[in-house]
Amino acid sequence: MNTPRLRALFVLGCAAVIALEAYVLFFDHDYVFSIQGRNSYKIHEFGAGQPVAHGFLMRGNGLHAVRVQLSSNGSATVQLRWRLLRQQTSDDRLAIAEWGLRELRLQSAGTWATLRLQSAGTWATNPSSGAEPEQLATVHEDTREVQIEPGRTWLTFPVTRDGSSHDRWYVFEAQLVDAPSDARDRAELALMATHDNPDRGGSLFVAGVNKPGSLVLRADRVGPTLYQRFVAEAEPNLPRWMQWPAVQWMIAIALHAAVAAYAYALLIDRSLLGQADG
């Protein structure tokens, strides 16, 4: 292979490596925290207008949407009221077990071991240490019109991205508030759930009553980029002069130039030397 072609391939390879690094370091990546067991069933109480709620301990930062699966036998246009609540502080004492049918146990006097439904539709954490319960705050609340089609469909409920959602309790609530009676009977609307409860599956409530199993739910999140993690976690621990962006860029350029020079000498110069010897 002639020298110009070798050098062109080397330049293209360097450009591809830089593009890949830029994508990994600076571009957002979507993730899904899925809560879904194997033995599915339909929550018909939802179609009858009863509220359905699911409390879960989020895995990962960047929560920006919650999705639930709806089942219908026909088409219908309905009004759906929903809200998402969030625990305000993170506390290791609230960590849930990774096994068991239920992660929230009913105690005496109607309280929950880690998360409970209070009167008037409010939710609160109940620390095991006996500290005062902390009421969950409403992240988003809305009533929306939904066009339902036959079969199983995913309904998406977007919220403002939460950059600190990891290991925080969230509660998603949904209730059918307006639907023609004939359409409701014909469509047989129901939310999908599973009898078994997967890891970090949370706890399901139907009409305020805790039920075994789990709602079929997906929490979409956009995780922080590697560069954002570097700025938030590593940069504060660096010497003052290394926290300047200009210095960081100079170091990055110098390192890339050194690697490129070494790779050029190893791949191109050696190849040219071999051609000359031949």
Side-chain angles (χ1 to χ4, degrees), residues 5-26:
R5 181 171 297 179
L6 280 174
R7 289 172 176 168
L9 289 175
F10 179 79
V11 171
L12 289 176
C14 290
V17 170
I18 293 175
L20 179 61
E21 286 183 341
Y23 174 76
V24 173
L25 288 173
F26 300 107

Side-chain angles (χ1 to χ4, degrees), residues 4 10 31 38 44 93 112 119 129 164 170 172 180 183-184 226 246 248 269:
F10 179 79
Y31 303 92
R38 298 180 179 179
H44 292 287
R93 293 169 302 179
W112 302 99
S119 59
S129 63
S164 58
Y170 287 84
F172 174 80
R184 181 181 299 182
L226 289 179
Q248 295 174 3
D269 284 352

Side-chain angles (χ1 to χ4, degrees), residues 18 21 242 247-263:
I18 293 175
E21 286 183 341
M242 290 189 66
V247 173
Q248 295 174 3
W249 279 106
M250 289 176 60
I251 294 175
I253 292 173
L255 287 175
H256 281 76
V259 172
Y262 177 76

Side-chain angles (χ1 to χ4, degrees), residues 94-201:
L94 301 176
I96 60 176
E98 292 289 344
W99 52 269
L101 183 62
R102 297 192 194 184
E103 292 158 348
L104 308 182
R105 301 179 302 278
L106 180 62
Q107 295 179 328
S108 60
T111 60
W112 302 99
T114 53
L115 182 71
R116 67 179 181 180
L117 175 62
Q118 295 180 323
S119 59
T122 60
W123 294 82
T125 58
N126 188 30
S128 57
S129 63
E132 288 295 322
E134 177 191 0
Q135 185 170 319
L136 273 67
T138 300
V139 175
H140 193 95
E141 185 173 9
D142 193 17
T143 299
R144 56 181 284 192
E145 185 175 88
V146 179
Q147 177 64 43
I148 306 299
E149 299 298 335
R152 295 185 182 182
T153 57
W154 286 96
L155 299 180
T156 302
F157 303 90
V159 297
T160 302
R161 181 181 179 274
D162 185 354
S164 58
S165 58
H166 183 62
D167 276 348
R168 293 188 187 273
W169 277 107
Y170 287 84
V171 173
F172 174 80
E173 289 184 335
Q175 184 177 11
L176 197 63
V177 294
D178 186 20
S181 58
D182 57 339
R184 181 181 299 182
D185 295 338
R186 182 179 67 253
E188 295 186 7
L189 301 177
L191 282 177
M192 296 303 302
T194 55
H195 290 291
D196 50 329
N197 198 324
D199 293 344
R200 296 176 78 102

Side-chain angles (χ1 to χ4, degrees), residues 214-238:
S214 171
L215 193 67
V216 176
L217 182 146
R218 293 178 181 175
D220 297 332
R221 68 182 186 91
V222 177
T225 64
L226 289 179
Y227 179 73
Q228 290 172 334
R229 292 182 59 184
F230 166 78
V231 172
E233 300 173 11
E235 189 176 87
N237 300 317
L238 296 176

